[in-house]
Amino acid sequence: MFRELVRKNKQLPAEDCIQVLKSETRGVLSVIGDNDYPYGMPMNHFYDENDGNIYFHCGNIGHRLESLQKNSKVSFCCYDQGYINEGEWHYNVKSVIVFGKIEIIDDKEQIIDIATRLCDKFPCGEGYAQKEIEASLHRTLLLKLVPEHMCGKLVTEL
């Protein structure tokens, strides 16, 4: 159902893909938007090692949510900061694309749990997460991306 990577020598093992998802703070979530045009937006995310799902927080109105209510299929692209090998000028970047379906979650306890763990990825400062949750919980939803296919590769920017 999903295409295989053409350049297999560039393919990342699943462990490397998961490491990118765990360590990086943002990526681009793409949905099928208005008039079947792709709609991609940068999003902070949290990869949960316990269930293998990727979580995003979002508001309870807007283009993204309306699109997801019509079609739950998405792709999510995330990549690391890259590195330069000694003596070279170009970056080597690990990128990951996840295909799957989104489930919209409005359970307040689960939103608090995931939003808190998402904030832990950032240097927000003491009490920031709690303050934001108290101010915005009533209008916050959780998006759970259940992966169906994940592929990563090492991209050499030449």
Side-chain angles (χ1 to χ4, degrees):
M1 175 151 104
F2 294 97
R3 294 177 184 231
E4 290 188 29
L5 192 63
V6 174
R7 298 182 68 191
K8 297 218 183 294
N9 64 325
K10 299 289 186 180
Q11 188 164 353
L12 294 176
E15 301 80 34
D16 286 6
C17 294
I18 290 169
Q19 185 57 43
V20 170
L21 292 170
K22 284 173 34 180
S23 63
E24 295 304 318
T25 54
R26 63 191 56 85
V28 175
L29 179 67
S30 296
V31 302
I32 300 169
D34 293 346
N35 300 310
D36 296 328
Y37 279 97
Y39 176 54
M41 73 254 22
M43 303 262 314
N44 298 324
H45 70 280
F46 171 72
Y47 177 82
D48 190 338
E49 292 182 85
N50 297 321
D51 62 14
N53 296 316
I54 303 167
Y55 293 89
F56 313 88
H57 73 289
C58 74
N60 58 7
I61 59 171
H63 185 180
R64 171 185 41 229
L65 191 58
E66 291 171 15
S67 297
L68 289 169
Q69 289 167 336
K70 292 177 189 171
N71 191 330
S72 64
K73 291 181 181 178
V74 301
S75 69
F76 179 64
C77 177
C78 184
Y79 55 92
D80 70 7
Q81 302 297 308
Y83 60 90
I84 299 175
N85 289 321
E86 188 173 333
E88 296 178 347
W89 61 268
H90 54 80
Y91 274 90
N92 298 280
V93 178
K94 293 177 182 177
S95 67
V96 178
I97 297 179
V98 179
F99 295 93
K101 293 183 180 168
I102 290 281
E103 296 176 12
I104 300 169
I105 298 171
D106 61 2
D107 176 76
K108 299 305 181 195
E109 292 303 315
Q110 194 170 8
I111 292 170
I112 292 169
D113 175 51
I114 296 296
T116 301
R117 293 196 280 165
L118 174 62
C119 276
D120 288 344
K121 290 176 76 171
F122 295 91
C124 300
E126 181 118 7
Y128 175 82
Q130 187 61 34
K131 190 175 1 172
E132 285 297 308
I133 289 168
E134 288 172 8
S136 303
L137 182 62
H138 66 282
R139 61 177 181 260
T140 302
L141 296 176
L142 198 60
L143 304 178
K144 177 170 85 169
L145 170 52
V146 180
E148 294 181 11
H149 179 75
M150 178 174 57
C151 188
K153 70 178 186 176
L154 179 63
V155 178
T156 303
E157 296 180 334
L158 291 176

